[in-house]
Amino acid sequence: MSWTEERVELLKKMWSEGQSASQIAKALGGVTRNAVIGKVHRLGLSNRTGGAGAPPKPEPKPAEAPLTEAPKMEAPKAAAPVAEPEIEMEAPKPRETVTSVKIPVPAARKPIVPAGQPLPPQPSANEVSPEALATQREAEMKARRLTLMELTERTCKWPIGDPATDDFWFCGHPVQAGKPYCEAHVGVAFQPMSSRRDRRR
DNA sequence: CCCTGATTCGC
DNA sequence: GCGAATCAGG
């Protein structure tokens, strides 16, 4: 394979979108991530965005400014300290249900609510089918306890414990093809609407 | 171990 | 110009 214009275009596009070299290589086919990185450097578009350590920031791509003519336009943005919405990902937090079962979590741990008071809101599903919940416990007892860095596309990203304390890690079991969670957690994460009791707001 | 990008250097 | 090997790091 060679770097045809089309391929280079796709490379540029994907790179600017924050795609990783390996992802780009996969999309292009016939090249390795090394080849992609090498090309990226040769093209001189190394740092994707101003900040070097800036994390992949998907450009919303406002709109192609026609820009027929705009000689010296200074954008005197009077600094608008916009409050970041900070959207939370769909990350259901495993909830401890008071049952007779003992130590559902790996090693004996402090109560799961030690932190101060905040404790992030838990948006989604609370009512999980008993069996799914049981399976969930099993999985958590054997959790690999991965840290954020250790997560990959193939590790279960189900959070366990309290993010505000050290008692926090990710399941880490092999994910179920495509899904972000392992089989057990897919079970509690993706529930049919029907089985979800309507909570009267 | 999984992954990331950066750099080098023979081709 | 190309990209595998290597490096440095999360």
Side-chain angles (χ1 to χ4, degrees), chain A residues 79-120:
Chain A
V82 181
E84 294 163 34
E86 184 152 322
I87 302 170
E88 282 297 312
M89 291 278 285
E90 28 80 44
K93 181 174 185 289
R95 231 338 180 186
E96 208 31 80
T97 303
V98 182
T99 64
S100 56
V101 180
K102 308 218 170 206
I103 321 294
V105 191
R109 304 240 136 231
K110 310 176 228 169
I112 203 164
V113 196
Q117 340 101 295
L119 205 51

Side-chain angles (χ1 to χ4, degrees), chain A residues 168-180:
Chain A
F168 185 65
W169 60 88
F170 294 90
C171 174
H173 282 307
V175 298
Q176 193 156 36
K179 274 83 168 187

Side-chain angles (χ1 to χ4, degrees), chain A residues 125-128 191-200:
Chain A
N126 293 327
E127 302 186 5
V128 177
Q191 303 222 357
M193 291 300 281
S194 54
S195 73
R196 201 183 288 186
R197 280 308 173 203
D198 56 305
R199 20 72 187 297
R200 35 100 133 180

